[in-house]
Amino acid sequence: WFGSQQRHLDKYCETWRKIGVKRVICYSPSVKAILLRRFCEREARKFLQNLPKPEGKVVWHLFSQGGFTFFGSVLQEDLKCEIKDSVAAVVFDCGPSLGLTREDAVVGVLTGVLKAKDEETALSVYNRKWFKTFWDNGWAVYDRMIYGDWNASVLRSFGSLEKAKQFYLYSAEDKVIGYRAIEEFISRQEEGGKKVALAKKWETGKHVNLLREHENEYVCCLQTIYNDVLLQ
């Protein structure tokens, strides 16, 4: 996710290994890859070059909108279709939406990069008049010149995954990507005939913090997903 580091992913890696997954590969895209399409596509190509050839059934665990965007770029760069053909399931953690709003984006930037204390603090900063004017104008330009077309291409790329099951883990309390936006995305997938095998919503839980706040139940969800994939 935006602003994540390898140390943030270590516990998720450990959890997948504990439930029986043989090989776990964790990757955190750079900040510039999440912000700029050209860098994201370049990084996706490099990621594919260094990725071991997929063996067996592969599960992708994607966090927030940043993880989804990077995955979309990986699919675009997967010219041999090795990734597309190997994906058995995609786990969405605290996302995604059909497209970020300026409010989603500002909370993600302030918490993920500028290290605002929490989502509420980020929103209070955003609501300061001078900052809101600065951000809203900047986001309008970014959305028009970069993000809008990029996001549309990511959605198209993800749409090419016809057989992969989809699993969603999210929270009603999330201030970065609201649950209604996630459920709108889920509905769009179901309308398109995609296999949504699980949509688990907790009433509490901050963005990309569900493992910490609901550890036992979260691990049970991952175990359920793992068992489901094994039975395919």
Side-chain angles (χ1 to χ4, degrees), residues 55-190:
E55 297 178 3
K57 298 174 180 177
V58 178
V59 177
W60 286 75
H61 190 166
L62 311 176
F63 295 87
S64 193
Q65 200 74 14
F68 175 62
T69 299
F70 186 74
F71 181 59
S73 294
V74 168
L75 293 176
Q76 289 173 346
E77 299 297 327
D78 179 32
L79 302 181
K80 296 181 180 179
C81 295
E82 291 181 346
I83 300 299
K84 296 183 182 73
D85 293 342
S86 68
V87 179
V90 180
V91 181
F92 290 107
D93 200 312
C94 297
S97 65
L98 292 171
L100 288 176
T101 66
R102 59 180 181 266
E103 290 85 0
D104 298 335
V106 74
V107 175
V109 168
L110 290 175
T111 55
V113 178
L114 302 182
K115 307 304 179 186
K117 181 180 178 182
D118 51 34
E119 296 162 16
E120 289 75 16
T121 301
L123 285 171
S124 69
V125 172
Y126 172 64
N127 287 323
R128 295 173 185 173
K129 186 176 180 180
W130 68 269
F131 187 90
K132 190 174 190 303
T133 300
F134 167 78
W135 180 268
D136 289 356
N137 290 334
W139 176 259
V141 173
Y142 175 76
D143 187 41
R144 183 175 66 253
M145 298 185 66
I146 298 175
Y147 179 70
D149 289 342
W150 184 13
N151 184 61
S153 71
V154 167
L155 290 170
R156 286 193 299 270
S157 295
F158 182 69
S160 67
L161 287 180
E162 297 293 339
K163 299 179 181 179
K165 286 188 176 182
Q166 299 179 19
F167 301 83
Y168 295 82
L169 309 174
Y170 61 107
S171 163
E173 192 180 36
D174 198 323
K175 297 291 193 305
V176 178
I177 302 180
Y179 74 91
R180 291 186 179 88
I182 295 172
E183 289 173 352
E184 181 184 11
F185 185 94
I186 294 171
S187 295
R188 188 72 62 88
Q189 296 302 304
E190 291 176 327

